[in-house]
Amino acid sequence: MNIFDIIGPVMIGPSSSHTAGACRLGRVANKVMNNEKPLDVTVELSGSFARTYKGHGTDRALLAGVLGYHSYSSEIRSIFKIADQEGITYHFIPKDIPNTHPNTARIMVTGVNGTKCTVQGASIGGGNIRVDYINGMKVDFTGEHNTILVPHYDRPGVIAAVTNIMWQKYKDVNIGNFKLSRPVKGGIAMMTIEIDGMPPAGMIDDIRSVQNVTNVILIRAI
């Protein structure tokens, strides 16, 4: 436990769960989009998010995160005006998302270059978050560490090839957590790799070059 677990995050209020955590969820979508400017942002809000999002500024915080702002950025207060000036459309839809944490949001972003992403996660208290799905694939990470997402075809040897590259060429990289999501045998699967520190130059490209790897997404600690 550190001091921020006790006193909470530095933030624009009023709520660490409904504002700071919401902004951090939005920032995950920003990272998945690789900072591509959004053209349209649609957010489905479930549970207490759906009931209180206007009063607690959850809508402003989510949109600010998608646009790349931090939980402490003063721009959160005027983010609707900023989005309007930049021609970004945004929609907030209360919706029951079954079997989820009470503070759950599903963020759907379309970028100016046509890139699309969907991020679903929850604000779990004190500004902390848990990311549950990226583009429909099950994941499980908090954003506290640099996270590498590796969507790939479920074929023998792909996981070994990725981890061998990291071990053989980048021995100083320490894997803090590794999880695999495989909804259908032989289909698209997702590796979630949390690492200590930043990935060295070249590592992401080397992983991307592995046969049957379809993409590599680096989400820097938020």
Side-chain angles (χ1 to χ4, degrees), residues 73-121:
S73 299
S74 61
E75 287 86 355
I76 290 176
R77 297 188 179 96
S78 55
I79 198 64
F80 293 151
K81 181 178 180 181
I82 292 172
D84 292 342
Q85 290 173 341
E86 296 186 8
I88 301 167
T89 58
Y90 47 89
H91 314 273
F92 299 92
I93 305 170
K95 182 175 182 178
D96 179 34
I97 304 176
N99 304 314
T100 57
H101 187 280
N103 296 335
T104 291
R106 183 183 290 145
I107 307 166
M108 294 161 281
V109 184
T110 300
V112 294
N113 298 324
T115 304
K116 295 186 177 183
C117 86
T118 301
V119 172
Q120 180 177 316

